[in-house]
Amino acid sequence: MKKYPDAEITSADYFFIDPQSGEYKFRIEDLPEAHNQCQKFVLSAMFEKRRPMIIIDNTSISKWEMEPYFALASSADYSVLVIHPKTPWAWDVDELAKRNTHDVPIETITKKLNKALKKPIPLYYGWFLSNVASRDVMSCSYWLLKHCLENCMDFQKEFLGYLPPNASINQKKLLNSLISFYRPSEDNLHVTAKFVGFDIEAASKYTTRVEERLGEVHDVTLFGYTFSRYAFGARVRLNMESSLDLYDTDESFLPKQETYRINRNTRRSKGHIECPHLCPSFPDYMTGNTIYPETSKEFFHPNPGKGKRCHITIGTRHGSQPVNTGYDALRTAHQEEEMKKGEFKTWIVPDIGILRKIDFDLWTLYLFKTVDLHAMFCGY
């Protein structure tokens, strides 16, 4: 609790503690009611107390035991982090039998361990925004894209070239055209730290290095966007040295057209695509710094060092993979390193920022006001 002083902690075991004497008396016949009370406590902590973090200290062997809390978290816009025990005796049957206070026989403990969810090795690591923050960033990002299209005819003309021949953009159908082209990300928005894929050796090595850091909340800054025929992404900067220490993504190459990953055989979903609610400004809790090109040399070179590939995928074109957003960020950073003053066409988007065509099919928006985000380092 020293690490998370604002957290609310609860357990089904609390039901068996006598409020007067503080004595613990476990009664197996009351176990269903104990879990029911635990869930009610969590519900109160979410909706009445609005605690920023809730720790549920229960022994969950199987997924079904966690599912009630997953459902509660989803309804209240909380993100869930499943913690595996790190004690050296966590999988030691004899030690568990000795330590348990529920008089569970060693045979039962053995059966439970055999069924237990084993410690996974994630294939992907990154910094994840909360459900609420993801929705807010998505809403504002699509509004900014719409605003850029309305205020820059050259940008709109090029965007039209990406659409099917019979498509058209007008003020009434502009948003529908955007959604049909850049399909919104369906996951919680996140910044990639490491994708290990199915290389088990690399996955194990990275996991060993970072597993003690899982669950940390880090600060990241959203300072601009990239738009291409492949993806719509937010550019972000890792603000902490501890974040850069976790970041392990290849930035040593310059993506070419053949680098981009397109699956042209992917069938377009016929299901409903939910349109993000548009919001013209980021909420106050995300307000960052105001910056202008006249007062900052870094305005057009916002992220030159390690982490220049960092991004959040907002949406992708049909068949385009999210990794392409990172390629756009790399190409943009490379062009920023090469550019000379006045070399690229520039459009001012009133009150928002400066839009530049950075490459033949790549546009970048530099924001006048940055956006501060908090994201949790997790693996899955």
Side-chain angles (χ1 to χ4, degrees):
M1 293 304 292
K2 290 181 179 179
K3 189 174 182 180
Y4 304 110
D6 296 326
E8 190 86 38
I9 186 168
T10 187
S11 170
D13 268 343
Y14 290 178
F15 183 82
F16 302 107
I17 298 176
D18 187 290
Q20 272 74 43
S21 66
E23 185 180 359
Y24 178 83
K25 293 181 179 179
F26 178 73
R27 300 173 300 279
I28 193 168
E29 65 273 13
D30 291 335
L31 195 55
E33 181 58 25
H35 281 287
N36 184 46
Q37 290 297 319
C38 184
Q39 291 169 30
K40 287 182 178 179
F41 184 91
V42 171
L43 193 66
S44 172
M46 288 177 171
F47 288 98
E48 295 175 17
K49 300 178 182 178
R50 297 303 301 174
R51 293 295 191 189
M53 178 181 290
I54 302 167
I55 300 172
I56 302 164
D57 184 21
N58 287 342
T59 302
S60 299
I61 299 297
S62 303
K63 183 181 176 182
W64 68 265
E65 295 170 294
M66 310 178 212
E67 284 177 344
Y69 299 102
F70 292 165
L72 288 174
S74 178
S75 67
D77 281 324
Y78 278 77
S79 298
V80 178
L81 184 66
V82 178
I83 305 294
H84 281 257
K86 298 176 182 178
T87 49
W89 44 267
W91 303 92
D92 185 329
V93 174
D94 293 327
E95 188 65 24
L96 290 170
K98 187 188 304 181
R99 288 173 176 266
N100 98 86
T101 56
H102 297 168
D103 297 323
V104 181
I106 192 169
E107 295 81 8
T108 302
I109 294 175
T110 302
K111 290 179 181 178
K112 290 283 187 181
L113 280 183
N114 290 335
K115 294 180 180 179
L117 293 170
K118 302 302 181 184
K119 180 180 177 181
I121 297 179
L123 303 180
Y124 176 93
Y125 290 87
W127 293 272
F128 286 76
L129 274 61
S130 69
N131 295 350
V132 172
S134 293
R135 190 165 56 242
D136 287 341
V137 170
M138 185 75 75
S139 298
C140 295
S141 297
Y142 271 91
W143 183 89
L144 286 171
L145 173 56
K146 178 176 179 289
H147 197 63
C148 287
L149 284 161
E150 291 171 339
N151 285 273
C152 180
M153 293 301 103
D154 288 344
F155 180 47
Q156 186 180 122
K157 182 179 178 181
E158 181 157 325
F159 188 89
L160 272 169
Y162 298 156
L163 297 177
N166 296 328
S168 62
I169 288 184
N170 58 56
Q171 296 307 313
K172 291 183 179 180
K173 297 183 178 180
L174 179 59
L175 182 58
N176 290 336
S177 298
L178 297 179
I179 300 302
S180 65
F181 184 74
Y182 288 136
R183 187 183 182 111
S185 176
E186 297 178 358
D187 301 323
N188 269 37
L189 299 183
H190 53 274
V191 183
T192 300
K194 174 75 171 178
F195 176 67
V196 295
F198 295 96
D199 185 339
I200 302 301
E201 183 178 349
S204 299
K205 185 177 180 180
Y206 183 80
T207 298
T208 300
R209 182 165 77 84
V210 306
E211 62 182 345
E212 294 297 325
R213 308 281 302 278
L214 294 171
E216 289 183 357
V217 176
H218 290 221
D219 298 331
V220 298
T221 296
L222 190 162
F223 58 83
Y225 290 88
T226 56
F227 314 103
S228 75
R229 65 174 67 244
Y230 304 107
F232 168 27
R235 301 178 69 194
V236 299
R237 178 171 53 246
L238 302 175
N239 295 324
M240 303 159 63
E241 284 297 326
S242 57
S243 303
L244 291 170
D245 181 56
L246 295 169
Y247 182 73
D248 189 8
T249 299
D250 186 10
E251 299 181 332
S252 63
F253 65 100
L254 176 62
K256 299 180 180 180
Q257 291 304 306
E258 57 268 25
T259 309
Y260 282 78
R261 299 182 186 178
I262 306 294
N263 184 359
R264 302 190 187 282
N265 295 322
T266 301
R267 293 185 178 181
R268 182 178 290 276
S269 172
K270 294 182 179 179
H272 173 68
I273 301 175
E274 185 176 351
C275 171
H277 172 72
L278 296 191
C279 181
S281 61
F282 287 92
D284 291 342
Y285 76 92
M286 292 183 176
T287 301
N289 298 320
T290 301
I291 181 172
Y292 295 103
E294 298 85 0
T295 58
S296 174
K297 295 180 180 179
E298 289 77 35
F299 186 84
F300 291 119
H301 304 273
N303 203 25
K306 182 179 180 180
K308 58 190 175 185
R309 186 177 172 177
C310 286
H311 66 278
I312 295 173
T313 297
I314 304 297
T316 54
R317 184 180 185 175
H318 171 60
S320 177
Q321 297 185 23
V323 67
N324 293 333
T325 318
Y327 295 157
D328 286 343
L330 268 183
R331 285 171 60 200
T332 299
H334 174 77
Q335 293 290 61
E336 288 170 345
E337 292 169 4
E338 297 294 322
M339 75 168 56
K340 297 177 182 178
K341 189 174 181 180
E343 187 175 344
F344 296 99
K345 286 187 176 181
T346 297
W347 293 264
I348 296 176
V349 184
D351 302 320
I352 301 299
I354 292 179
L355 186 65
R356 273 188 164 179
K357 186 170 184 179
I358 209 91
D359 208 346
F360 73 95
D361 65 342
L362 180 60
W363 295 68
T364 298
L365 175 66
Y366 301 88
L367 296 177
F368 290 144
K369 182 171 287 188
T370 61
V371 181
D372 290 340
L373 304 171
H374 303 295
M376 181 179 288
F377 181 66
C378 306
Y380 77 88

